[in-house]
Amino acid sequence: MWWETKRIYLDYASSTLPLKEAISAMREVEGLIGNSGGIHTEAVKAKEVLEDARDKVALELGAKSREVVFTSGLTEAINLAVLGFARH
């Protein structure tokens, strides 16, 4: 039967496995709490980690840190790109 043949999975929408490097980076900040917009100790640490990540991404992309924007997901990223393009 057709369903007994070897399957090739092509539907990775929202389920793509992260790179080992990404998992490692996430483990480094596991347990870190604090809203990066706050002023308390935990928030300041979160802000430092966030800005360090922004600097590293910018360096890899040959961009300025202020040009790197992190989003919560694909829909938000697409909307940001479309709005930026439309306003340009």
Side-chain angles (χ1 to χ4, degrees):
M1 296 298 208
W2 65 269
W3 60 84
E4 295 172 344
T5 61
K6 185 174 179 177
R7 293 184 62 189
I8 298 174
Y9 189 74
L10 299 175
D11 184 14
Y12 276 106
S14 300
S15 64
T16 303
L17 298 174
L19 294 173
K20 290 176 185 174
E21 296 87 351
I23 293 171
S24 176
M26 290 177 1
R27 286 196 175 128
E28 288 178 24
V29 295
E30 191 174 44
L32 179 66
I33 58 171
N35 181 336
S36 62
I39 59 171
H40 50 82
T41 303
E42 293 82 1
V44 171
K45 178 61 179 169
K47 179 74 169 187
E48 289 171 0
V49 169
L50 176 66
E51 293 306 321
D52 183 52
R54 189 183 317 278
D55 291 342
K56 288 178 181 177
V57 169
L59 183 64
E60 288 295 320
L61 296 175
K64 296 176 181 142
S65 293
R66 62 182 170 79
E67 296 173 321
V68 175
V69 178
F70 296 117
T71 65
S72 63
L74 184 61
T75 300
E76 184 180 358
I78 290 171
N79 287 337
L80 187 62
V82 169
L83 288 172
F85 180 78
R87 289 181 181 155
H88 179 67

